[in-house]
Amino acid sequence: MALQTAPSASNTLAPASAWALVPPLGNLDAYITAVNRLPLLTHEEEQRYARQLRDDGNVDAAGRLVLSHLRLVVSISRQYLGYGLPHGDLIQEGNVGLMKAVKRFDPDQGVRLVSYAMHWIKAEIHEYILKNWRMVKVATTKAQRKLFFNLRSMKQGFKAGAVDADTHRDTLSEREIDLVAEQLNVKREEVIEMETRLSGGDILLDPAPSDDGEQAFGPIAYLADAGHEPTAMLESRQRDMLATDGIATALDSLDARSRRIVEQRWLQVNDDGSGGMTLHQLAAEYGVSAERIRQIEVAAMKKMRKALAEYA
């Protein structure tokens, strides 16, 4: 009976479509086990498939390049598990970076795809971490991103090399801050600022009620500015208009005697802080009784309220 020889790496990639080798959906452990069993490409195979993709746009060749490097993404993603993000999401973002690398890979550059793809895989994972590690981004510029990842790595190194209890604290000491600034070639103030951002956390502005139904206290209670609430701003603007143009319009609706009585009784302020003329002083000036002045004042105020209502 003839002996059967073991299939080579090229023979294991024999299916007409490379995507036929994609493992079936399942849990994360099953996926990692499956991609680790996918065969690696030889240098000659990698060059051939890369040229087919570049020259002919062969999608099947691109699939073979991607599949043979899925284990690389799994390996790189494990380095970022300390950020508290799901491993599956890190792998997914790394796969996006791998596909971008395959699309841009030039086989004539003289490097293997594995070396070229590492940059793209890490770049996509970095972007995902910066967007999802906190609700508010801790790093926006290129220099801040570099400092973010290097500072976390160096802090873990400081903790691993600590020999006394005092060095196990979460914050950096003055000596460690100077060391980080020197090694990363950044300003000391930048290290302190990034350290402050890393040590902080997200706080809900409006926390949900507790189990007993009581409303939990949150920053929204003292951050809210009622003065800038749209309704309050409209009401304040309307009051200002009534106090200026509205009063002037209402006074114009009065006759000369009624206007003088209202102005003297309600709008006149003397230098000593006292009010205007009294009912008896106005009565003596117009030669009528104080009660008559009061009646004219009441009628004038009623007419003014009507004019203000129409103005508003």
Side-chain angles (χ1 to χ4, degrees), residues 167-179:
T167 53
H168 283 281
R169 60 186 178 276
D170 293 332
T171 57
L172 294 175
S173 64
E174 295 295 323
R175 182 185 64 83
E176 292 170 343
I177 292 175
D178 293 334
L179 183 61

Side-chain angles (χ1 to χ4, degrees), residues 122-164:
K122 290 183 177 181
E124 288 297 321
I125 294 178
H126 287 183
E127 187 69 22
Y128 170 74
I129 291 174
L130 291 173
K131 286 182 178 180
N132 296 275
W133 190 60
R134 293 272 176 81
M135 292 180 63
V136 179
K137 285 188 176 181
V138 296
T140 53
T141 65
K142 183 178 180 180
Q144 288 178 344
R145 294 182 179 191
K146 181 179 179 181
L147 179 58
F148 170 79
F149 288 103
N150 288 327
L151 181 58
R152 279 183 58 90
S153 177
M154 295 185 69
K155 284 185 65 176
Q156 293 175 358
F158 291 146
K159 291 182 179 181
V163 294
D164 58 341

Side-chain angles (χ1 to χ4, degrees), residues 14 22 25 66 155 166 175 178 197 209 215 219 236 253 291:
V22 177
L25 294 178
V66 170
K155 284 185 65 176
D166 183 61
R175 182 185 64 83
D178 293 334
R197 295 185 182 185
Q215 181 66 37
S236 176
S253 66
E291 175 62 21

Side-chain angles (χ1 to χ4, degrees), residues 50 53 62 65-66 69 72-73 93-107 109 112-124:
L53 173 62
L65 293 171
V66 170
H69 290 80
L72 173 66
V73 176
E93 296 300 321
N95 287 341
V96 174
L98 172 61
M99 288 186 284
K100 290 182 178 180
V102 168
K103 182 179 180 181
R104 294 167 173 81
F105 180 62
D106 185 357
Q109 290 181 342
R112 293 295 301 269
L113 177 58
V114 62
S115 302
Y116 181 77
M118 287 180 65
H119 165 76
W120 290 93
I121 295 170
K122 290 183 177 181
E124 288 297 321

Side-chain angles (χ1 to χ4, degrees), residues 4 10 44 55 65 78 82 117 171 208 223 226 240 257 280 296:
Q4 294 182 349
S10 337
E44 292 75 14
D55 300 336
L65 293 171
R78 287 198 180 100
T171 57
L223 289 178
D240 293 340
R257 184 177 64 173
H280 293 282
I296 295 174

